[in-house]
Amino acid sequence: MTALAEREHRSRLTLNRFGFWLFILSETMIFLALLTTRFYLTGTDVPADADQLIALLITSVLLLSSGAAYLAEVAATSGDGTLFRRAMLATMLLGLAFMVGVGFEWREAFHAFPPGTLYGSVFFVMTGTHAFHVLTGLMFLGIVYRKSAGDLASNYWPVEASVKYWHFVDVVWVFFYPALYLV
Amino acid sequence: MHERVEAMLIGRNVFVLLAGLTAIEYAAAVSLESALVPLLLIALAKALLIVVYFMHIRQLRKDSS
């Protein structure tokens, strides 16, 4: 790569990163609004029926998937295609496991605190919005996996962006988990 | 190669810290009567670890300079 092309590539990457963080900031506002709504409407109490075991399990699964995503990014940086593919697959499978866990939790929550109740409406809106982001994150990872598996070097930014987005989904859950189950 | 090993070590250490904080978070919630403040602090610490080490927010400052 010539010096000029290298500089252009760097400057494009910098712009991409700034744009991405602005997007993350705007997403943060949505989740902050949901978080404050939860405490404003329902106080600091959590219903006794909230399933602590499933919540801890899906939190651990999402944390593991974040670790796998980090590994995928390190592999992409060093051009290790095999490790990249394995780590990306692990990330997506763990993400799917999280979604299944949320499904189980919803089935129980429908009986324990239905969406018609105050806590139920807050719970379903918060977990639903987060699950939607997990779903879009999975789609994003899937597309990047397909496109980047053959040529990591020229597809680095999509890998970085999808992995960062996945970590953001994890950051949101870091606040939602105690707010919905532990407080 | 050296950078890769270093990145892997950072990732492993951060992951272990996050897992430990999650365990402490759970223990605090079941043992303390009012755990709001400790839980908030733990959540902030976990988020900071992810944003700094996994999302590399410091790249922004490096890029802009």
Side-chain angles (χ1 to χ4, degrees):
Chain A
M1 198 182 278
T2 64
L4 186 68
E6 170 74 21
R7 224 173 75 183
E8 202 171 301
H9 173 72
R10 283 262 131 222
S11 134
R12 163 72 60 186
L13 195 60
T14 303
L15 272 177
N16 284 346
R17 282 175 181 156
F18 270 107
F20 179 83
W21 279 102
L22 278 178
F23 164 70
I24 290 293
L25 198 65
S26 65
E27 288 272 288
T28 304
M29 299 301 166
I30 297 171
F31 288 109
L32 268 179
L34 287 174
L35 203 61
T36 48
T37 304
R38 180 259 181 270
F39 288 109
Y40 181 75
L41 288 179
T42 58
T44 54
D45 289 334
V46 170
D49 303 338
D51 196 327
Q52 297 288 343
L53 190 67
I54 286 187
L56 186 62
L57 204 69
I58 60 176
T59 302
S60 308
V61 164
L62 201 60
L63 179 63
L64 273 172
S65 81
S66 220
Y70 177 83
L71 198 62
E73 195 186 6
V74 173
T77 313
S78 56
D80 186 343
T82 312
L83 181 62
F84 169 76
R85 279 188 294 277
R86 284 180 183 164
M88 282 290 266
L89 268 178
T91 307
M92 290 187 284
L93 285 174
L94 288 163
L96 277 174
F98 176 85
M99 290 297 283
V100 171
V102 170
F104 275 111
E105 174 57 353
W106 272 32
R107 204 179 58 177
E108 285 186 23
F110 263 107
H111 300 293
F113 31 88
T117 62
L118 195 57
Y119 188 81
S121 62
V122 165
F123 177 86
F124 282 103
V125 169
M126 283 175 77
T127 52
T129 311
H130 181 261
F132 177 72
H133 281 75
V134 173
L135 197 65
T136 52
L138 279 173
M139 287 161 70
F140 194 7
L141 287 170
I143 292 167
V144 170
Y145 176 78
R146 248 181 87 95
K147 297 255 180 199
S148 305
D151 181 17
L152 274 176
S154 59
N155 285 304
Y156 180 67
W157 168 244
V159 173
E160 184 184 326
S162 62
V163 167
K164 274 190 171 131
Y165 183 75
W166 194 251
H167 290 313
F168 171 70
V169 167
D170 194 22
V171 170
V172 172
W173 192 252
V174 158
F175 289 99
F176 276 22
Y177 167 57
L180 290 171
Y181 295 94
L182 298 180
V183 171
Chain B
M1 196 63 192
H2 174 70
E3 279 176 10
R4 179 184 156 138
V5 173
E6 200 178 326
M8 292 274 205
L9 279 175
I10 290 173
R12 189 200 63 186
N13 293 344
V14 172
F15 179 79
V16 169
L17 267 173
L18 288 170
L21 283 171
T22 305
I24 293 171
E25 190 176 40
Y26 184 77
V30 294
S31 59
L32 297 177
E33 201 157 299
S34 173
L36 183 63
V37 176
L39 288 179
L40 181 69
L41 291 176
I42 293 170
L44 281 172
K46 284 169 74 179
L48 197 70
L49 280 172
I50 297 173
V51 169
V52 172
Y53 291 104
F54 283 179
M55 296 175 80
H56 315 288
I57 196 168
R58 284 180 296 194
Q59 273 174 343
L60 278 181
R61 216 169 79 181
K62 213 165 85 180
D63 284 348
S64 60
S65 63

